[in-house]
Coordinates of all heavy atoms in Angstrom, one line a residue:
M1429 N -74.4 -100.2 -154.5 CA -74.5 -98.8 -154.2 C -74.0 -98.6 -152.8 O -74.5 -99.2 -151.8 CB -76.0 -98.4 -154.3 CG -76.2 -96.9 -154.2 SD -78.0 -96.4 -154.5 CE -78.2 -97.0 -156.1
P1430 N -73.0 -97.7 -152.6 CA -72.5 -97.5 -151.3 C -73.4 -96.7 -150.3 O -74.3 -96.0 -150.8 CB -71.2 -96.6 -151.5 CG -71.4 -96.0 -152.9 CD -72.3 -96.9 -153.6
R1431 N -73.3 -97.0 -149.1 CA -74.1 -96.4 -148.0 C -73.2 -95.4 -147.3 O -72.1 -95.6 -147.0 CB -74.6 -97.4 -147.1 CG -75.6 -96.9 -146.0 CD -76.2 -98.0 -145.3 NE -77.1 -98.7 -146.2 CZ -78.5 -98.7 -146.1 NH1 -79.0 -98.1 -145.1 NH2 -79.2 -99.4 -146.9
F1432 N -73.8 -94.2 -147.0 CA -73.2 -93.2 -146.2 C -74.0 -92.8 -145.0 O -75.2 -92.9 -145.0 CB -73.0 -91.9 -147.1 CG -72.1 -92.2 -148.3 CD1 -72.7 -92.6 -149.5 CD2 -70.8 -92.0 -148.2 CE1 -71.9 -92.8 -150.6 CE2 -70.0 -92.2 -149.3 CZ -70.5 -92.6 -150.5
Y1433 N -73.3 -92.5 -143.9 CA -74.0 -92.2 -142.6 C -73.7 -90.7 -142.2 O -72.6 -90.3 -142.3 CB -73.4 -93.1 -141.6 CG -73.7 -94.6 -141.9 CD1 -72.8 -95.3 -142.7 CD2 -74.8 -95.2 -141.5 CE1 -73.0 -96.6 -143.1 CE2 -75.1 -96.5 -141.8 CZ -74.2 -97.2 -142.6 OH -74.4 -98.5 -143.0
F1434 N -74.8 -90.1 -141.8 CA -74.7 -88.6 -141.5 C -74.9 -88.4 -140.0 O -76.0 -88.4 -139.5 CB -75.8 -87.9 -142.3 CG -75.5 -87.9 -143.8 CD1 -75.8 -89.1 -144.5 CD2 -75.0 -86.8 -144.5 CE1 -75.6 -89.1 -145.9 CE2 -74.8 -86.9 -145.8 CZ -75.1 -88.0 -146.6
D1435 N -73.8 -88.2 -139.3 CA -73.9 -88.0 -137.8 C -74.0 -86.5 -137.6 O -73.4 -85.7 -138.2 CB -72.6 -88.5 -137.1 CG -72.4 -90.0 -137.4 OD1 -73.4 -90.7 -137.6 OD2 -71.3 -90.5 -137.3
V1436 N -74.9 -86.2 -136.6 CA -75.2 -84.8 -136.4 C -74.8 -84.4 -134.9 O -75.2 -85.0 -134.0 CB -76.7 -84.5 -136.6 CG1 -77.1 -83.1 -136.2 CG2 -77.1 -84.8 -138.0
F1437 N -74.1 -83.2 -134.8 CA -73.9 -82.6 -133.5 C -74.7 -81.3 -133.5 O -74.5 -80.4 -134.4 CB -72.4 -82.3 -133.3 CG -72.2 -81.6 -132.0 CD1 -72.3 -82.2 -130.8 CD2 -71.7 -80.2 -132.1 CE1 -72.1 -81.5 -129.6 CE2 -71.5 -79.5 -130.9 CZ -71.7 -80.2 -129.7
D1438 N -75.7 -81.2 -132.6 CA -76.6 -80.0 -132.6 C -76.2 -78.9 -131.6 O -77.0 -78.1 -131.3 CB -78.0 -80.5 -132.4 CG -78.2 -81.0 -131.0 OD1 -77.3 -80.9 -130.1 OD2 -79.3 -81.6 -130.7
G1439 N -75.0 -79.0 -131.2 CA -74.5 -78.0 -130.2 C -74.5 -78.5 -128.8 O -73.9 -78.0 -127.9
E1440 N -75.3 -79.6 -128.6 CA -75.3 -80.3 -127.3 C -75.1 -81.8 -127.3 O -74.4 -82.3 -126.5 CB -76.7 -80.0 -126.6 CG -77.0 -78.6 -126.3 CD -78.4 -78.4 -125.7 OE1 -79.2 -79.3 -125.7 OE2 -78.7 -77.2 -125.4
T1441 N -75.7 -82.4 -128.3 CA -75.7 -83.8 -128.4 C -75.3 -84.3 -129.8 O -75.7 -83.7 -130.8 CB -77.2 -84.4 -128.1 OG1 -77.6 -83.8 -126.9 CG2 -77.2 -85.9 -128.1
T1442 N -74.6 -85.4 -129.8 CA -74.2 -86.1 -131.1 C -75.2 -87.2 -131.4 O -75.4 -88.0 -130.5 CB -72.8 -86.6 -131.1 OG1 -71.9 -85.5 -130.9 CG2 -72.5 -87.3 -132.4
T1443 N -75.9 -87.2 -132.5 CA -76.8 -88.2 -132.9 C -76.1 -89.0 -134.0 O -75.8 -88.5 -135.1 CB -78.1 -87.7 -133.5 OG1 -78.7 -86.8 -132.4 CG2 -79.1 -88.8 -133.8
V1444 N -75.9 -90.3 -133.7 CA -75.2 -91.2 -134.7 C -76.2 -91.8 -135.6 O -77.2 -92.4 -135.2 CB -74.4 -92.3 -133.9 CG1 -73.7 -93.3 -134.9 CG2 -73.3 -91.7 -133.0
D1445 N -76.0 -91.7 -136.9 CA -76.8 -92.2 -137.9 C -76.5 -93.7 -138.0 O -75.4 -94.1 -138.4 CB -76.5 -91.5 -139.2 CG -77.4 -92.0 -140.4 OD1 -78.2 -92.9 -140.2 OD2 -77.2 -91.5 -141.5
R1446 N -77.5 -94.5 -137.7 CA -77.3 -96.0 -137.7 C -78.0 -96.6 -139.0 O -77.8 -97.8 -139.2 CB -77.9 -96.6 -136.5 CG -77.2 -96.1 -135.2 CD -77.5 -97.0 -134.0 NE -77.0 -96.4 -132.8 CZ -75.7 -96.3 -132.4 NH1 -74.8 -96.7 -133.2 NH2 -75.4 -95.7 -131.2
I1447 N -78.7 -95.8 -139.7 CA -79.4 -96.3 -140.9 C -78.6 -96.0 -142.2 O -78.4 -96.8 -143.0 CB -80.8 -95.7 -141.0 CG1 -81.6 -96.2 -139.7 CG2 -81.5 -96.1 -142.3 CD1 -82.9 -95.5 -139.5
G1448 N -78.3 -94.7 -142.4 CA -77.5 -94.3 -143.5 C -78.4 -94.2 -144.8 O -79.6 -94.4 -144.8
L1449 N -77.8 -93.7 -145.8 CA -78.4 -93.5 -147.1 C -77.6 -94.2 -148.2 O -76.4 -94.1 -148.2 CB -78.5 -92.0 -147.5 CG -79.4 -91.2 -146.6 CD1 -79.3 -89.7 -147.0 CD2 -80.9 -91.6 -146.8
D1450 N -78.3 -94.9 -149.1 CA -77.6 -95.5 -150.3 C -77.5 -94.4 -151.3 O -78.6 -93.9 -151.8 CB -78.4 -96.7 -150.8 CG -78.3 -97.9 -149.9 OD1 -77.3 -98.1 -149.2 OD2 -79.3 -98.6 -149.8
L1451 N -76.3 -94.1 -151.8 CA -76.1 -93.1 -152.8 C -75.2 -93.6 -153.9 O -74.4 -94.6 -153.6 CB -75.5 -91.8 -152.2 CG -76.3 -91.2 -151.0 CD1 -75.5 -90.1 -150.4 CD2 -77.6 -90.6 -151.6
D1452 N -75.3 -93.1 -155.0 CA -74.6 -93.6 -156.2 C -73.1 -93.3 -156.2 O -72.6 -92.9 -157.2 CB -75.2 -93.0 -157.5 CG -76.6 -93.5 -157.7 OD1 -76.9 -94.7 -157.4 OD2 -77.4 -92.8 -158.3
N1453 N -72.5 -93.4 -155.1 CA -71.0 -93.0 -154.9 C -70.7 -91.6 -155.5 O -69.7 -91.4 -156.0 CB -70.2 -94.1 -155.6 CG -68.8 -94.1 -155.0 OD1 -68.6 -93.7 -153.9 ND2 -67.8 -94.6 -155.7
D1454 N -71.7 -90.8 -155.4 CA -71.6 -89.4 -155.9 C -71.2 -88.5 -154.7 O -72.0 -88.1 -153.9 CB -72.9 -88.9 -156.5 CG -72.9 -87.5 -157.0 OD1 -71.9 -86.8 -156.8 OD2 -73.9 -87.1 -157.6
L1455 N -69.9 -88.3 -154.5 CA -69.4 -87.5 -153.4 C -69.9 -86.1 -153.4 O -70.1 -85.5 -152.3 CB -67.9 -87.6 -153.3 CG -67.3 -89.0 -153.1 CD1 -65.8 -88.9 -153.0 CD2 -67.9 -89.6 -151.8
E1456 N -70.3 -85.5 -154.5 CA -70.8 -84.2 -154.6 C -72.2 -84.2 -153.9 O -72.6 -83.3 -153.2 CB -70.9 -83.7 -156.0 CG -71.0 -82.2 -156.2 CD -69.7 -81.5 -155.6 OE1 -68.6 -82.0 -155.6 OE2 -70.0 -80.4 -155.1
Q1457 N -73.0 -85.3 -154.1 CA -74.3 -85.4 -153.5 C -74.2 -85.6 -152.0 O -74.9 -85.0 -151.2 CB -75.1 -86.6 -154.1 CG -76.5 -86.7 -153.6 CD -77.2 -87.9 -154.1 OE1 -76.6 -88.8 -154.7 NE2 -78.5 -87.9 -154.0
V1458 N -73.2 -86.3 -151.6 CA -72.9 -86.5 -150.1 C -72.6 -85.1 -149.5 O -73.2 -84.8 -148.5 CB -71.7 -87.5 -149.9 CG1 -71.2 -87.4 -148.5 CG2 -72.0 -88.9 -150.3
R1459 N -71.8 -84.4 -150.1 CA -71.4 -83.0 -149.7 C -72.7 -82.2 -149.6 O -72.9 -81.5 -148.6 CB -70.4 -82.4 -150.6 CG -70.0 -81.0 -150.3 CD -69.1 -80.4 -151.4 NE -68.8 -79.1 -151.2 CZ -69.6 -78.0 -151.5 NH1 -70.8 -78.2 -152.0 NH2 -69.2 -76.8 -151.2
D1460 N -73.5 -82.1 -150.6 CA -74.7 -81.3 -150.7 C -75.7 -81.7 -149.6 O -76.2 -80.8 -149.0 CB -75.3 -81.4 -152.1 CG -74.5 -80.7 -153.2 OD1 -73.5 -80.0 -152.9 OD2 -74.8 -81.0 -154.3
L1461 N -75.9 -83.0 -149.4 CA -76.8 -83.4 -148.3 C -76.3 -83.0 -147.0 O -77.2 -82.5 -146.1 CB -77.0 -84.9 -148.4 CG -77.8 -85.4 -149.6 CD1 -77.7 -87.0 -149.7 CD2 -79.2 -85.0 -149.5
A1462 N -75.1 -83.1 -146.7 CA -74.5 -82.7 -145.4 C -74.7 -81.2 -145.2 O -75.2 -80.7 -144.1 CB -73.1 -83.1 -145.3
I1463 N -74.4 -80.4 -146.2 CA -74.5 -78.9 -146.1 C -76.0 -78.5 -146.0 O -76.3 -77.7 -145.2 CB -73.8 -78.3 -147.3 CG1 -72.3 -78.4 -147.2 CG2 -74.2 -76.8 -147.3 CD1 -71.5 -78.0 -148.4
D1464 N -76.8 -79.1 -146.8 CA -78.3 -78.8 -146.8 C -78.9 -79.1 -145.4 O -79.9 -78.4 -145.1 CB -79.0 -79.5 -147.9 CG -78.7 -79.0 -149.2 OD1 -78.1 -77.9 -149.4 OD2 -79.0 -79.7 -150.2
A1465 N -78.4 -80.0 -144.7 CA -79.0 -80.4 -143.4 C -78.8 -79.3 -142.3 O -79.6 -79.2 -141.4 CB -78.5 -81.7 -142.9
L1466 N -77.7 -78.6 -142.4 CA -77.3 -77.7 -141.4 C -78.3 -76.6 -141.0 O -78.6 -76.3 -139.8 CB -75.9 -77.1 -141.7 CG -74.7 -78.0 -141.5 CD1 -73.5 -77.4 -142.1 CD2 -74.5 -78.4 -140.0
P1467 N -78.9 -75.9 -142.0 CA -79.9 -74.8 -141.6 C -81.1 -75.4 -140.8 O -81.6 -74.8 -139.9 CB -80.3 -74.2 -142.9 CG -79.1 -74.5 -143.9 CD -78.6 -75.8 -143.4
D1468 N -81.5 -76.6 -141.2 CA -82.6 -77.2 -140.5 C -82.3 -77.5 -139.1 O -83.0 -77.3 -138.1 CB -83.1 -78.5 -141.2 CG -83.7 -78.2 -142.6 OD1 -84.3 -77.1 -142.8 OD2 -83.7 -79.0 -143.5
I1469 N -81.1 -78.1 -138.9 CA -80.6 -78.4 -137.5 C -80.5 -77.1 -136.7 O -81.0 -77.1 -135.5 CB -79.2 -79.1 -137.6 CG1 -79.3 -80.4 -138.3 CG2 -78.6 -79.2 -136.2 CD1 -78.0 -81.0 -138.8
A1470 N -79.9 -76.1 -137.3 CA -79.8 -74.8 -136.6 C -81.2 -74.2 -136.2 O -81.4 -73.7 -135.1 CB -79.0 -73.8 -137.4
R1471 N -82.1 -74.3 -137.1 CA -83.5 -73.7 -136.8 C -84.1 -74.5 -135.6 O -84.8 -73.9 -134.8 CB -84.4 -73.9 -138.0 CG -84.4 -72.6 -138.9 CD -85.5 -72.7 -139.9 NE -85.2 -73.7 -140.9 CZ -84.4 -73.5 -142.0 NH1 -83.8 -72.4 -142.1 NH2 -84.2 -74.4 -142.9
E1472 N -83.9 -75.8 -135.5 CA -84.5 -76.6 -134.5 C -83.8 -76.3 -133.1 O -84.4 -76.5 -132.1 CB -84.4 -78.1 -134.8 CG -85.3 -78.5 -135.9 CD -85.2 -79.9 -136.3 OE1 -84.7 -80.7 -135.5 OE2 -85.6 -80.3 -137.4
K1473 N -82.5 -76.0 -133.1 CA -81.7 -75.9 -131.9 C -81.1 -74.6 -131.7 O -80.0 -74.5 -131.1 CB -80.7 -77.0 -131.9 CG -81.2 -78.4 -131.9 CD -81.9 -78.7 -130.6 CE -80.9 -79.0 -129.5 NZ -81.4 -79.5 -128.3
L1474 N -81.6 -73.5 -132.2 CA -81.0 -72.2 -132.0 C -80.7 -72.0 -130.5 O -81.6 -72.3 -129.6 CB -81.9 -71.0 -132.5 CG -81.8 -70.8 -134.0 CD1 -82.7 -69.7 -134.4 CD2 -80.4 -70.4 -134.4
P1475 N -79.6 -71.5 -130.2 CA -79.2 -71.5 -128.7 C -79.8 -70.4 -128.0 O -80.3 -69.4 -128.5 CB -77.7 -71.2 -128.9 CG -77.5 -70.4 -130.1 CD -78.6 -71.0 -131.1
N1476 N -79.9 -70.6 -126.7 CA -80.4 -69.5 -125.7 C -79.3 -68.5 -125.6 O -79.6 -67.3 -125.3 CB -80.7 -70.1 -124.4 CG -81.9 -71.0 -124.4 OD1 -82.8 -70.8 -125.3 ND2 -82.0 -72.0 -123.6
G1477 N -78.0 -68.9 -125.8 CA -76.9 -68.0 -125.7 C -76.6 -67.3 -127.1 O -77.4 -67.3 -128.0
D1478 N -75.4 -66.8 -127.2 CA -75.0 -66.0 -128.4 C -74.1 -66.8 -129.3 O -73.7 -66.2 -130.3 CB -74.3 -64.8 -127.9 CG -75.3 -63.8 -127.2 OD1 -76.5 -63.9 -127.5 OD2 -74.8 -63.0 -126.4
R1479 N -73.8 -68.0 -129.0 CA -72.9 -68.8 -129.9 C -73.3 -70.3 -129.9 O -73.7 -70.8 -128.9 CB -71.4 -68.7 -129.4 CG -70.8 -67.4 -129.4 CD -69.5 -67.4 -128.8 NE -69.0 -66.0 -128.6 CZ -68.2 -65.4 -129.5 NH1 -67.7 -66.1 -130.5 NH2 -67.8 -64.2 -129.3
A1480 N -73.1 -70.9 -131.1 CA -73.4 -72.3 -131.2 C -72.6 -72.8 -132.4 O -72.3 -72.0 -133.3 CB -74.8 -72.6 -131.3
E1481 N -72.4 -74.1 -132.5 CA -71.8 -74.7 -133.7 C -72.5 -76.0 -133.9 O -72.8 -76.8 -133.0 CB -70.3 -75.0 -133.4 CG -69.6 -75.4 -134.6 CD -68.1 -75.3 -134.4 OE1 -67.5 -74.2 -134.6 OE2 -67.5 -76.4 -134.1
F1482 N -72.9 -76.2 -135.2 CA -73.6 -77.4 -135.6 C -72.8 -78.1 -136.7 O -72.2 -77.5 -137.5 CB -75.0 -76.9 -136.2 CG -75.8 -76.0 -135.3 CD1 -75.8 -74.7 -135.5 CD2 -76.5 -76.6 -134.3 CE1 -76.5 -73.8 -134.7 CE2 -77.3 -75.7 -133.5 CZ -77.2 -74.4 -133.6
T1483 N -72.8 -79.4 -136.6 CA -71.9 -80.2 -137.4 C -72.6 -81.4 -138.0 O -73.3 -82.1 -137.2 CB -70.6 -80.7 -136.6 OG1 -70.0 -79.6 -136.0 CG2 -69.6 -81.4 -137.5
V1484 N -72.3 -81.7 -139.2 CA -72.7 -83.0 -139.8 C -71.4 -83.6 -140.3 O -70.7 -83.0 -141.1 CB -73.7 -82.8 -141.0 CG1 -74.0 -84.1 -141.7 CG2 -75.0 -82.1 -140.6
T1485 N -71.2 -84.8 -139.8 CA -70.0 -85.6 -140.2 C -70.5 -86.8 -141.0 O -71.3 -87.6 -140.5 CB -69.2 -86.0 -139.0 OG1 -68.8 -84.8 -138.3 CG2 -67.9 -86.8 -139.4
V1486 N -69.9 -87.0 -142.1 CA -70.3 -88.2 -143.0 C -69.3 -89.3 -142.9 O -68.1 -89.0 -143.0 CB -70.5 -87.7 -144.5 CG1 -71.0 -88.9 -145.3 CG2 -71.4 -86.5 -144.6
R1487 N -69.8 -90.5 -142.7 CA -69.0 -91.7 -142.6 C -69.3 -92.6 -143.8 O -70.5 -92.6 -144.3 CB -69.3 -92.5 -141.4 CG -68.8 -91.9 -140.1 CD -69.1 -92.7 -138.9 NE -70.6 -92.6 -138.6 CZ -71.4 -93.7 -138.6 NH1 -70.9 -94.9 -138.8 NH2 -72.7 -93.6 -138.3
D1488 N -68.3 -93.3 -144.3 CA -68.5 -94.2 -145.4 C -68.9 -95.6 -144.8 O -69.0 -95.8 -143.6 CB -67.3 -94.3 -146.3 CG -66.1 -94.9 -145.7 OD1 -66.1 -95.4 -144.5 OD2 -65.0 -94.8 -146.3
E1489 N -69.1 -96.6 -145.6 CA -69.5 -97.9 -145.2 C -68.5 -98.6 -144.3 O -68.9 -99.4 -143.4 CB -69.7 -98.9 -146.4 CG -70.9 -98.5 -147.2 CD -71.1 -99.4 -148.4 OE1 -70.1 -99.6 -149.2 OE2 -72.2 -99.9 -148.6
A1490 N -67.2 -98.2 -144.4 CA -66.2 -98.8 -143.6 C -66.1 -98.1 -142.2 O -65.3 -98.5 -141.3 CB -64.9 -98.7 -144.3
G1491 N -66.9 -97.0 -142.0 CA -66.9 -96.3 -140.8 C -65.9 -95.1 -140.7 O -65.7 -94.5 -139.6
F1492 N -65.3 -94.8 -141.8 CA -64.3 -93.7 -141.8 C -65.0 -92.4 -142.1 O -65.9 -92.3 -143.0 CB -63.2 -93.9 -142.9 CG -62.3 -95.1 -142.6 CD1 -62.5 -96.3 -143.3 CD2 -61.4 -95.0 -141.6 CE1 -61.7 -97.4 -143.1 CE2 -60.5 -96.1 -141.4 CZ -60.7 -97.3 -142.1
D1493 N -64.6 -91.4 -141.3 CA -65.2 -90.0 -141.6 C -64.6 -89.5 -142.9 O -63.4 -89.6 -143.2 CB -64.7 -89.0 -140.5 CG -65.4 -89.3 -139.2 OD1 -66.3 -90.1 -139.1 OD2 -64.9 -88.8 -138.2
I1494 N -65.5 -89.1 -143.8 CA -65.0 -88.6 -145.2 C -65.3 -87.2 -145.5 O -64.7 -86.6 -146.4 CB -65.6 -89.5 -146.3 CG1 -67.1 -89.4 -146.3 CG2 -65.1 -91.0 -146.1 CD1 -67.7 -90.0 -147.6
F1495 N -66.2 -86.6 -144.7 CA -66.6 -85.2 -145.0 C -67.2 -84.6 -143.7 O -67.9 -85.3 -142.9 CB -67.6 -85.1 -146.1 CG -68.0 -83.7 -146.5 CD1 -67.2 -82.9 -147.2 CD2 -69.2 -83.1 -146.0 CE1 -67.5 -81.6 -147.6 CE2 -69.5 -81.8 -146.3 CZ -68.6 -81.1 -147.1
R1496 N -67.0 -83.3 -143.5 CA -67.6 -82.6 -142.3 C -68.0 -81.3 -142.8 O -67.3 -80.6 -143.4 CB -66.6 -82.5 -141.2 CG -67.1 -81.8 -140.0 CD -66.2 -81.9 -138.8 NE -66.2 -83.2 -138.3 CZ -65.1 -84.0 -138.1 NH1 -63.9 -83.4 -138.3 NH2 -65.2 -85.2 -137.7
A1497 N -69.2 -80.9 -142.4 CA -69.8 -79.6 -142.7 C -70.1 -78.9 -141.3 O -70.7 -79.6 -140.5 CB -71.0 -79.6 -143.6
I1498 N -69.7 -77.7 -141.1 CA -69.8 -77.0 -139.9 C -70.5 -75.7 -140.1 O -70.1 -74.9 -141.0 CB -68.5 -76.8 -139.1 CG1 -67.8 -78.1 -138.9 CG2 -68.7 -76.0 -137.8 CD1 -66.4 -78.0 -138.5
L1499 N -71.5 -75.4 -139.3 CA -72.2 -74.1 -139.3 C -72.0 -73.4 -138.0 O -72.4 -74.0 -136.9 CB -73.7 -74.3 -139.6 CG -74.5 -73.0 -139.6 CD1 -74.1 -72.1 -140.8 CD2 -76.0 -73.3 -139.7
S1500 N -71.4 -72.3 -137.9 CA -71.2 -71.5 -136.7 C -72.2 -70.4 -136.6 O -72.5 -69.7 -137.6 CB -69.8 -70.9 -136.6 OG -68.8 -71.9 -136.6
F1501 N -72.8 -70.3 -135.4 CA -73.8 -69.2 -135.1 C -73.2 -68.3 -134.1 O -72.7 -68.7 -133.1 CB -75.1 -69.9 -134.6 CG -76.1 -68.8 -134.1 CD1 -76.9 -68.2 -134.9 CD2 -76.1 -68.6 -132.7 CE1 -77.8 -67.2 -134.4 CE2 -77.0 -67.6 -132.2 CZ -77.8 -67.0 -133.1
R1502 N -73.3 -67.0 -134.3 CA -72.8 -66.0 -133.4 C -73.7 -64.8 -133.4 O -74.0 -64.3 -134.5 CB -71.4 -65.7 -133.7 CG -70.8 -64.8 -132.6 CD -69.3 -64.7 -132.9 NE -68.9 -63.3 -133.1 CZ -67.7 -63.0 -133.5 NH1 -66.8 -63.8 -133.7 NH2 -67.5 -61.7 -133.7
A1503 N -74.2 -64.3 -132.3 CA -75.0 -63.1 -132.2 C -74.2 -62.2 -131.2 O -73.7 -62.6 -130.2 CB -76.3 -63.5 -131.7
E1504 N -74.2 -60.9 -131.6 CA -73.5 -59.9 -130.7 C -74.1 -58.5 -131.0 O -74.5 -58.2 -132.1 CB -72.0 -59.9 -131.0 CG -71.6 -59.6 -132.4 CD -70.2 -59.8 -132.7 OE1 -69.5 -60.6 -131.9 OE2 -69.7 -59.3 -133.7
W1505 N -74.1 -57.8 -129.9 CA -74.4 -56.3 -130.0 C -73.3 -55.6 -130.6 O -72.1 -55.9 -130.3 CB -74.8 -55.8 -128.6 CG -76.0 -56.4 -128.0 CD1 -76.1 -57.4 -127.1 CD2 -77.3 -56.0 -128.3 NE1 -77.4 -57.7 -126.9 CE2 -78.2 -56.8 -127.6 CE3 -77.9 -55.0 -129.1 CZ2 -79.6 -56.7 -127.6 CZ3 -79.3 -54.9 -129.2 CH2 -80.1 -55.8 -128.5
I1506 N -73.6 -54.6 -131.4 CA -72.6 -53.8 -132.0 C -72.7 -52.3 -131.6 O -73.7 -51.7 -131.7 CB -72.7 -53.8 -133.6 CG1 -72.6 -55.2 -134.1 CG2 -71.7 -52.9 -134.2 CD1 -72.9 -55.4 -135.5
G1507 N -71.6 -51.8 -131.0 CA -71.5 -50.4 -130.7 C -72.3 -50.0 -129.4 O -72.3 -48.8 -129.1
R1508 N -72.9 -50.9 -128.7 CA -73.6 -50.5 -127.5 C -73.8 -51.8 -126.7 O -73.7 -52.9 -127.2 CB -74.9 -49.8 -127.7 CG -76.0 -50.7 -128.3 CD -77.3 -49.9 -128.5 NE -78.4 -50.8 -128.8 CZ -79.4 -51.0 -128.0 NH1 -79.4 -50.5 -126.8 NH2 -80.3 -51.8 -128.4
T1509 N -74.1 -51.6 -125.4 CA -74.4 -52.8 -124.6 C -75.9 -53.1 -124.6 O -76.7 -52.3 -124.9 CB -74.0 -52.5 -123.1 OG1 -74.7 -51.4 -122.7 CG2 -72.5 -52.2 -123.0
K1510 N -76.1 -54.3 -124.3 CA -77.5 -54.8 -124.3 C -78.3 -54.0 -123.2 O -77.8 -53.8 -122.1 CB -77.5 -56.3 -124.0 CG -78.8 -56.9 -123.9 CD -78.7 -58.4 -123.6 CE -80.1 -59.0 -123.3 NZ -80.0 -60.4 -122.9
G1511 N -79.5 -53.7 -123.5 CA -80.3 -53.1 -122.5 C -81.1 -52.1 -123.1 O -82.0 -51.5 -123.2

């Protein structure tokens, strides 16, 4: 059973997954797990500013990046200035 590693960039820091997950070589499951992690990461690290980007990069057993999911956050006032 192949092992996949899910590295996380939370807008400030990259956390390298050194443990990984054994999955049934189901790349659709790899994709789903990476995407599903993004909202939780964003909730924990919502920015003080108006923009952020959160990334999960998946590596295979050989250490090659095989998938990346990115969530961009942007907040802005519409039609008026803050205040």
Side-chain angles (χ1 to χ4, degrees):
M1429 187 174 302
R1431 185 170 291 249
F1432 297 92
Y1433 300 86
F1434 295 78
D1435 300 333
V1436 173
F1437 176 69
D1438 67 9
E1440 295 177 355
T1441 306
T1442 298
T1443 303
V1444 176
D1445 180 1
R1446 301 194 190 287
I1447 298 170
L1449 293 173
D1450 290 325
L1451 302 172
D1452 293 326
N1453 206 22
D1454 180 354
L1455 295 181
E1456 203 59 33
Q1457 184 181 16
V1458 168
R1459 177 187 176 279
D1460 291 347
L1461 287 170
I1463 291 170
D1464 288 347
L1466 286 169
D1468 293 332
I1469 296 163
R1471 267 191 290 280
E1472 290 177 20
K1473 294 295 281 188
L1474 279 177
N1476 291 333
D1478 293 332
R1479 295 174 189 263
E1481 190 166 274
F1482 308 98
T1483 306
V1484 176
T1485 303
V1486 183
R1487 291 178 287 118
D1488 63 11
E1489 289 178 309
F1492 293 105
D1493 292 348
I1494 62 165
F1495 183 80
R1496 179 171 292 127
I1498 301 168
L1499 177 66
S1500 294
F1501 170 82
R1502 188 168 118 185
E1504 59 189 19
W1505 292 98
I1506 300 173
R1508 68 182 191 108
T1509 60
K1510 180 181 172 184

